[in-house]
Amino acid sequence: MSFIKRKLHHEDDLGFGNRPMGKDQRMMNANGSSNIKRTGLPFFRSSDTYNWLISMSWGKFLTIIVIAWLIVNILFAFVYVGVGIENLKGTDGITARDHFFDAFFFSAQTISTVGYGHISPSGFITSCIAAFESMLGLLAFALATGLLYGRFSKPNAKILYSKNMVVAPYKNATALMFKLANFRNSQLIEMSVNLVFTYNEIVDGQKVRRFLPLELERSKIGLLSLSWTIVHPINEHSPLLGKTKEELIDAEVEFIVLLQAFDDTFSQTVHSRASYLDENIIYNARFAPAFYHDNTGLTTIDLSKLSDIEMVTST
C-alpha cells in the first residue's frame, strides 16, 4: 500500500524506527505508553526505582506500602521472640501465638515511634534492636512521605479521549475526527495537538514502517474549556484520500496523538498521548453534542457523553 511520501522531520521523530509492526500490534498503547518490551536489564535497578514507584498506579503503590510494612514488622517480631519475649516488659500473652502478636504490635508501635508504653524493651540487646527499628522507621516514613508528595505534585495531564475516531461529512467532503476534553477542573492553555499517521509499506519486497504527520483543521487553541474535536480533512493533501477500510486494515495503520499544554495549576507544561487503530475508526458517523445549557443558561458539559456518536447517511 502506498501513501504520499512525506515523512516526519527529524525533530518530530517518534523514536520507533522503521521496523514493521505485527498484526493488531500497537506501537503505542491506548493510555499513551510505548508498547515496547525491554530486555537485557538487571532485575534490580536502583536508578529506576523512584520512577517506578512514582509512575505505578495508586492501587499498586498502596499495596507495596502495606506489604512492606507487614514484612518489616513480622521480621522484627520474630527477632524479638527469638531474643526472648521476657525481654519485652508488659507482655501478657501465654501461648506462642500471643507472644508473636505482642512482639508484632510492639514492633508496629516502635517503627512508627508511637510508643504507647504498654510494652517496653528490657536489656541491652532488645533495647538496641528497638532503637535500630525506630531509626529505620523514621527513614522509611520520610521516604514514603517523599514518594507521596512526588506522586501528588507530579505534573501530568488528565485528558479524556473519545473511544473511537469517526469519518464524518465535512465541508462537502469527509474528515477524520476524534474528541478530547480535560478531566480536571484546571485550566489548560496554549494547547497544541499533533496527529501522526503510521502504517506498513512494502519497499523492495520488504515491509517498512512509515510515519506521516496529518494536517489538522486546527492544531492549537488558546484555552480548553469544553471538549475539542480534532479534525483532519480528507482532501487532496491527505494520505487517506480514496483509501478504503480494507486498505487501512491491510496496512496495519495506527494514529498517534501527541498533546501538550500549559497547566495553570502546576504552572508547567504537561503532555498526553493516545493511540487509535484501524478498528477504532467508525465510518459515516459523527460525534453527538456533549454539552448543553441548564435551566439557568449555564453551559454544562457531560464528559460521559464524550464518545457518543450518531450515524449519518453517506452521500
Side-chain angles (χ1 to χ4, degrees):
M1 183 178 183
S2 177
F3 291 90
I4 297 175
K5 299 298 187 294
R6 182 183 56 185
K7 301 178 184 178
L8 284 173
H9 299 295
H10 291 297
E11 60 269 19
D12 298 325
D13 189 358
L14 296 183
F16 288 104
N18 60 359
R19 291 184 177 273
M21 303 301 291
K23 185 68 175 176
D24 298 326
Q25 180 184 356
R26 291 179 179 269
M27 302 196 72
M28 183 174 291
N29 296 315
N31 63 0
S33 61
S34 298
N35 189 25
I36 301 296
K37 182 180 179 180
R38 304 176 67 195
T39 61
L41 297 172
F43 177 76
F44 180 75
R45 305 185 302 276
S46 58
S47 60
D48 201 36
T49 303
Y50 177 79
N51 180 69
W52 177 62
L53 291 170
I54 288 292
S55 303
M56 68 173 54
S57 66
W58 275 103
K60 289 183 178 179
F61 178 76
L62 295 176
T63 300
I64 288 176
I65 294 295
V66 172
I67 290 176
W69 181 84
L70 288 172
I71 290 175
V72 170
N73 284 293
I74 289 172
L75 289 176
F76 273 100
F78 279 118
V79 171
Y80 289 125
V81 172
V83 171
I85 196 65
E86 66 275 5
N87 292 313
L88 292 179
K89 291 183 177 181
T91 57
D92 51 9
I94 299 175
T95 65
R97 176 179 174 274
D98 294 335
H99 292 162
F100 172 80
F101 280 109
D102 283 339
F104 176 85
F105 289 116
F106 170 73
S107 173
Q109 296 164 19
T110 301
I111 201 170
S112 63
T113 68
V114 173
Y116 291 121
H118 172 64
I119 302 176
S120 60
S122 175
F124 179 76
I125 296 179
T126 307
S127 297
C128 288
I129 295 173
F132 173 76
E133 185 180 10
S134 63
M135 181 189 68
L136 181 65
L138 289 173
L139 296 176
F141 279 99
L143 178 61
T145 302
L147 290 172
L148 283 171
Y149 174 78
R151 292 179 66 88
F152 276 111
S153 62
K154 179 185 176 183
N156 54 60
K158 289 293 185 181
I159 302 296
L160 291 179
Y161 295 92
S162 59
K163 295 179 181 179
N164 298 294
M165 307 178 95
V166 300
V167 175
Y170 176 79
K171 293 184 178 179
N172 299 322
T174 57
L176 181 71
M177 306 178 186
F178 67 94
K179 291 178 71 174
L180 59 86
N182 187 11
F183 182 74
R184 292 195 176 109
N185 289 323
S186 60
Q187 295 295 319
L188 296 178
I189 61 178
E190 298 298 328
M191 175 179 286
S192 63
V193 173
N194 291 322
L195 181 60
V196 179
F197 172 52
T198 175
Y199 63 96
N200 287 338
E201 184 179 24
I202 304 297
V203 179
D204 298 329
Q206 300 290 329
K207 273 188 178 183
V208 296
R209 196 70 179 175
R210 298 298 193 191
F211 297 86
L212 301 177
L214 296 183
E215 295 182 2
L216 303 178
E217 175 200 39
R218 180 180 299 173
S219 61
K220 295 182 179 180
I221 58 173
L223 177 67
L224 180 62
S225 299
L226 297 171
S227 60
W228 182 14
T229 301
I230 309 298
V231 178
H232 165 65
I234 303 178
N235 52 30
E236 63 275 10
H237 303 295
S238 171
L240 302 179
L241 181 64
K243 304 303 178 184
T244 65
K245 181 178 181 180
E246 290 71 23
E247 288 178 310
L248 296 181
I249 294 175
D250 291 339
E252 296 162 8
V253 302
E254 183 176 355
F255 298 88
I256 297 176
V257 183
L258 306 173
L259 178 149
Q260 69 175 13
F262 186 85
D263 193 316
D264 65 349
T265 300
F266 297 109
S267 295
Q268 293 187 40
T269 299
V270 293
H271 300 265
S272 179
R273 295 170 298 277
S275 170
Y276 295 95
L277 297 178
D278 55 79
E279 63 191 37
N280 301 125
I281 303 176
I282 301 178
Y283 292 82
N284 298 321
R286 63 187 176 193
F287 287 109
F291 56 89
Y292 59 92
H293 298 287
D294 64 11
N295 296 330
T296 64
L298 182 65
T299 301
T300 304
I301 180 170
D302 186 352
L303 295 180
S304 66
K305 296 182 178 181
L306 187 69
S307 298
D308 290 358
I309 60 173
E310 300 172 344
M311 303 307 296
V312 297
T313 303
S314 59
T315 57

